[in-house]
Amino acid sequence: MSTLLAWIIYIIIGALAGWLAGVIMKGGGSGLIRNLILGIVGSILGGWLLGLLGIHFAGEIGQFITAVIGAIVVIWLASLISKK
């Protein structure tokens, strides 16, 4: 798989994870576009956080689970910051 295609898939997975995290968080979301962006950032954060814990998921579904976990954390943090 080419590097460009891998990045495109990574962005799509992150965006979908951001949308799902916004749905899961209900009131914690910040609107569709912002949740998509936070999902992409969250997918990177999720990979890093789970890596620190020694947890690794394989395949695209594993990537998606990791991205959703990271997106939930990022949306939660963003909602804390925006309430102050």
Side-chain angles (χ1 to χ4, degrees):
M1 181 180 331
S2 74
T3 305
L4 178 61
L5 182 60
W7 274 103
I8 291 170
I9 291 170
Y10 195 72
I11 290 170
I12 290 169
I13 288 173
L16 289 172
W19 169 79
L20 183 59
V23 170
I24 291 170
M25 295 295 290
K26 294 180 183 164
S30 307
L32 180 63
I33 300 299
R34 187 167 177 200
N35 283 349
L36 295 177
I37 293 168
L38 292 176
I40 294 167
V41 173
S43 66
I44 297 167
L45 179 70
W48 179 73
L49 285 174
L50 292 178
L52 287 177
L53 298 172
I55 301 170
H56 302 282
F57 296 112
E60 285 80 19
I61 293 176
Q63 243 184 335
F64 184 70
I65 292 168
T66 301
V68 170
I69 293 169
I72 288 171
V73 170
V74 170
I75 290 173
W76 176 71
L77 289 173
S79 69
L80 288 179
I81 292 169
S82 66
K83 287 182 181 178
K84 289 184 178 181

